[in-house]
Amino acid sequence: MTPWDIADRPRRRVGRGLELHDEIASTNDRARELLAEADGEGRAVVAEVQTAGRGRRGRTWESPGGVNLALSVGLRPHLATADAWQLAAAAALAAWDACNRFAPVTLKWPNDVVADPDGAKVGGILIETTVDDERVREAVIGIGLNLNWARRDMPAELGTAATSLADLAGGPVDRGEVLDGLLDALDDEIVAIESGHSPRERYRAACSTLGREVEIEAGEGRIRGRALDIHEDGALVVETADGPVHLASGEIVRLRTAVPA
Ligand code: BTN
């Protein structure tokens, strides 16, 4: 019995088969390789240790073995390129849903799972897509969650801004149960977006960034203002001193609760 003894999913696309690695460079790379194999689509690739785990914006993803979840799934989604942002929202909602079964978490734009209310990071999502003008051809959805990695054991530079689901739940969580819930939720989310149901409303409801004062690194500069909304194209709408700005991507470097006028 391993922590990953999870349900078979013969009728589902996400998580149809599970591939476990004690150590791998990056689960995202393996999931992409699997897309070239017959039956490789949707296989869940899980690793205890990644030697070259990637985060967003060129960062590395650190996670010790035996305590967390590093998962990737490769898909050929039926999705227009203009709707590619929905994959990230769908993955974020699936992670949010799976974590919320254990402790309250929210989403920080664009797709971090964070503690409610202190905003420490529980997990992150890296989506790597191949697109043409019209369609998303391939997408690798990578999800990293801090599950039983106690905050007190994290390196100092992480421990100030990160936490784990176990810290929030007040005790260890069953990693197989989290993975089970995550794969089912991700499958449901992918079915929904492929059927034309935008995740926007549910993403907005789960996103604790809205209504906050934010400072966001975007392109060469920083945008400051109040996060107002998620536009129907997935962009974050920020009310700045110069008017509303739409951000399709970026990184929040500062976030605080807006002071009522
Ligand atoms: C972030 O918040 O910067 C995104 C982190 C994504 C990490 C996951 S772990 C599984 C998958 N494999 C990777 O190399 N990265 C993602």
Side-chain angles (χ1 to χ4, degrees):
M1 173 109 178
T2 79
W4 307 116
D5 280 326
I6 62 167
D8 282 339
R9 298 181 159 68
R11 273 185 284 278
R12 291 210 185 240
R13 179 141 141 261
V14 173
R16 203 160 35 89
L18 172 67
E19 192 177 285
L20 290 175
H21 296 265
D22 287 337
E23 189 175 296
I24 198 170
S26 161
T27 53
N28 265 31
D29 293 343
R30 178 61 190 146
R32 183 173 310 99
E33 274 171 21
L34 283 169
L35 279 173
E37 289 180 16
D39 249 15
E41 189 190 15
R43 190 153 340 141
V45 181
V46 170
E48 287 293 357
V49 172
Q50 297 184 103
T51 53
R54 289 193 292 281
R56 292 179 60 243
R57 300 172 75 81
R59 287 186 299 250
T60 56
W61 182 255
E62 306 297 335
S63 171
V67 286
N68 287 337
L69 175 61
L71 163 75
S72 298
V73 177
L75 293 173
R76 273 181 230 94
H78 309 292
L79 207 60
T81 299
D83 293 332
W85 68 272
Q86 295 188 6
L87 282 168
L93 282 167
W96 170 82
D97 183 56
C99 290
N100 253 312
R101 296 170 195 205
F102 295 85
V105 293
T106 64
L107 296 178
K108 176 178 155 192
W109 181 87
N111 45 29
D112 281 353
V113 178
V114 297
D116 188 23
D118 86 339
K121 183 159 169 167
V122 175
I125 290 163
L126 176 69
I127 313 270
E128 297 175 319
T129 49
T130 310
V131 302
D132 62 27
D133 284 349
E134 291 183 358
R135 316 286 319 164
V136 177
R137 294 292 165 200
E138 289 183 352
V140 174
I141 299 174
I143 303 178
L145 296 176
N146 296 331
L147 297 183
N148 293 323
W149 191 20
R151 197 172 190 170
R152 64 171 182 278
D153 296 333
M154 294 178 183
E157 67 276 13
L158 275 187
T160 50
T163 188
S164 69
L165 200 56
D167 279 303
L168 302 179
V173 298
D174 183 321
R175 291 191 295 155
E177 241 177 273
V178 178
L179 177 59
D180 244 339
L182 179 55
L183 292 173
D184 285 349
L186 188 56
D187 193 59
D188 289 344
E189 293 291 346
I190 299 296
V191 169
I193 62 176
E194 288 184 327
S195 325
H197 299 292
S198 170
R200 177 180 174 224
E201 287 307 328
R202 285 176 312 110
Y203 180 89
R204 266 165 143 177
C207 181
S208 53
T209 308
L210 301 181
R212 301 275 188 92
E213 292 295 329
V214 293
E215 186 173 331
I216 299 178
E217 236 167 46
E220 298 293 286
R222 286 192 177 189
I223 307 283
R224 288 183 194 81
R226 183 180 299 207
L228 285 187
D229 200 4
I230 303 295
H231 190 258
E232 58 193 30
D233 65 4
L236 179 71
V237 185
V238 179
E239 183 64 44
T240 71
D242 302 321
V245 171
H246 287 218
L247 291 170
S249 69
E251 181 75 13
I252 298 181
V253 289
R254 220 179 286 255
L255 178 76
R256 57 189 172 81
T257 305
V259 181

